[in-house]
Amino acid sequence: MSAAATPELILIDGEPANELPVTDRGLQYGDGLFETLACRDGRARLLSLHIERLALGCERLGMRCDALDAIRAEISAAARVPHPTLIKLIVTRGDGVRRGYHSAAARGQRRVLLRYRHPQESPELALQGVCVRIASTRLGENPALAGIKHLNRLEQVLAASEAPQDAAAEALMLSSSGRLVSGTMTNVFLVQEDRLITPRVDRCGVAGVMRRLVLQLAAACGLDAAERNCAPEALHTAREIFLTNARIGIWPVRRVAERALPVGEVTRRLQRELSARLADA
Amino acid sequence: MSAAATPELILIDGEPANELPVTDRGLQYGDGLFETLACRDGRARLLSLHIERLALGCERLGMRCDALDAIRAEISAAARVPHPTLIKLIVTRGDGVRRGYHSAAARGQRRVLLRYRHPQESPELALQGVCVRIASTRLGENPALAGIKHLNRLEQVLAASEAPQDAAAEALMLSSSGRLVSGTMTNVFLVQEDRLITPRVDRCGVAGVMRRLVLQLAAACGLDAAERNCAPEALHTAREIFLTNARIGIWPVRRVAERALPVGEVTRRLQRELSARLADA
């Protein structure tokens, strides 16, 4: 749902370039992973958490990950500009030297780094909150792919495209078995009674870096925070709802479908904790 | 599972080229479709059926499909060589001119045609049959993506890569709810009593062009043929099992996991009907 200009920097395997071979398995099969990092003051935020998730993704997909040190260095170097940026890092299984799905047909690995200017975003979104809708496109359930940030994102494309871009800041998605999972590009948190809940991502969804950090911050604050299976009806009863990702941090939800809700104190407290943590980082 | 050399021809939007922009949404999200066509004697087999499925895929993904006539002409022209070839045609939603999943962030559409020499394959495979295994990776269920040949193929990559490439000719996959669906690159048919069955592909799997043709041929022969929900136990009891795709035609299965089975008369009859039909085409 977010907008930004075309990339101001593209590196392929560390070299400036704009194009990659059509035989790349990232194009052919979505055979790869990605990370999106927010960069401020010349530094990539939460870099270690992003690298950790990338490593986990490589392991889950059976991809070698011996380039992680190079990737870390490359991201750090690309972030070293005065203006705020977003870096998208894509890692694919490289070129298919033979046809066919088998990973033994792949040669090497390829990394693509794209740096964008950080989009100008109204600070009102984090202050007053955003409106979200419920997508009708659902997330298929597959534990083999759940949690990791892989390149098979058609479900998110379809969900995001169900309504005009300005209809809502985000679309929340249910799993094929009817559980609330996440937004198309965000994780979701709900305050129910005095408990902070975020849906489990063991059957579908992405284990967001910001989701992980918010769970840590909540625990450090003494909040009762947990990953749970989550019925969509919880959206009607939750005292507070907020969205997270690496770019937006925490966005309060002030309207979900037809329901208006206030920005509550748990959301505000976690926003403050997050600001402090990111200032330290 | 199949092998072939590197492409002998690549066209991007009709022009010779080997690379495409990294901002292409096919790479970024798997936001596109593909077709694989077998070509003999200078002609692309079953071209109309492939174009029809591509059109359906475009409709399902909300992609415009005004290039279908150009695609058809391009495939026909590329097939016009004396040796047998395989043509893989990829259509993506084009470049993301803004970040984000929403299809309104896409500009144009891009088509990539890759032509490979048809792999030398032993005629024994179609005569004596092949050995298949059961993959442990399952297919997530999502009616929004079922049936069409989209670019999100990580499940197939994982299933194919579970065993060495020479361990089996194909790996059969179950859905997340435990039904038999298809192979990683083929559809599957079973003869049960006097009925020919192929699993439904309305929750996952691809509605193969060869699957469609074989269902037509079976009906024309007076066979009782149907799409059905299919328990994996049917693999233990089916009298005959065979695999189909546009490249292989019909491969009898002579062993599935530990079970050996004969190549039966229904399989042989459909192979003969298919040969006659393809000779006419």
Side-chain angles (χ1 to χ4, degrees), chain A residues 27-277:
Chain A
L27 171 70
Q28 300 273 333
Y29 310 129
D31 191 7
L33 299 159
F34 72 105
E35 293 290 331
T36 305
L37 301 96
C39 309
R40 300 235 170 221
D41 304 319
R43 296 187 59 194
R45 276 180 180 170
L46 309 177
L47 178 54
S48 293
L49 295 182
H50 284 285
I51 296 288
E52 266 181 50
R53 181 175 56 186
L54 186 61
L56 177 67
C58 287
E59 194 183 315
R60 292 270 300 281
L61 296 187
M63 281 167 62
R64 60 188 182 76
C65 55
D66 45 0
L68 290 181
D69 287 341
I71 288 170
R72 180 193 288 268
E74 217 165 276
I75 292 172
S76 295
R80 223 167 282 137
V81 288
H83 55 278
T85 60
L86 289 174
I87 290 180
K88 181 167 181 176
L89 190 279
I90 299 173
V91 180
T92 77
R93 214 185 299 262
D95 288 319
V97 291
R98 295 194 301 280
R99 288 184 58 255
Y101 291 123
H102 202 291
S103 59
R107 181 173 53 194
Q109 194 173 68
R110 182 171 284 117
R111 60 183 191 275
V112 179
L113 181 152
L114 302 102
R115 191 183 72 208
Y116 299 84
R117 275 192 177 259
H118 201 293
Q120 292 286 346
E121 221 141 41
S122 166
E124 296 300 300
L125 298 175
L127 282 173
Q128 302 196 356
V130 297
C131 300
V132 304
R133 62 182 175 84
I134 315 288
S136 60
T137 305
R138 294 194 174 193
L139 294 161
E141 299 181 8
N142 193 340
L145 296 177
I148 62 176
K149 208 163 166 84
H150 57 71
L151 291 175
N152 282 197
R153 293 293 155 202
L154 262 177
E155 292 170 327
Q156 285 76 12
V157 169
L158 293 182
S161 307
E162 284 171 17
Q165 256 184 307
D166 53 5
E170 174 62 303
L172 294 177
M173 299 185 73
L174 311 186
S175 68
S176 55
S177 60
R179 288 177 178 152
L180 174 66
V181 181
S182 67
T184 63
M185 59 168 185
T186 59
N187 288 111
V188 61
F189 285 77
L190 300 93
V191 179
Q192 293 183 302
E193 295 162 17
D194 286 318
R195 186 167 227 196
L196 183 66
I197 301 285
T198 189
R200 294 167 64 102
V201 289
D202 54 351
R203 297 195 59 82
C204 53
V206 175
V209 157
M210 188 56 70
R211 172 182 183 271
R212 182 175 164 190
L213 179 58
V214 166
L215 284 170
Q216 287 170 2
L217 293 173
C221 291
L223 290 170
D224 180 7
E227 300 172 63
R228 284 282 178 276
N229 290 326
C230 213
E233 290 72 25
L235 294 170
H236 302 307
T237 56
R239 283 215 328 259
E240 304 177 30
I241 303 174
F242 63 85
L243 308 176
T244 63
N245 77 20
R247 173 173 67 86
I248 66 173
I250 296 174
W251 273 354
V253 171
R254 65 178 170 89
R255 182 178 288 276
V256 52
E258 297 305 303
R259 180 187 175 211
L261 68 174
V263 181
E265 62 189 75
V266 174
T267 306
R268 288 295 182 223
R269 178 161 184 200
L270 287 167
Q271 284 184 314
R272 286 193 304 272
E273 296 290 335
L274 177 61
S275 291
R277 166 64 202 273

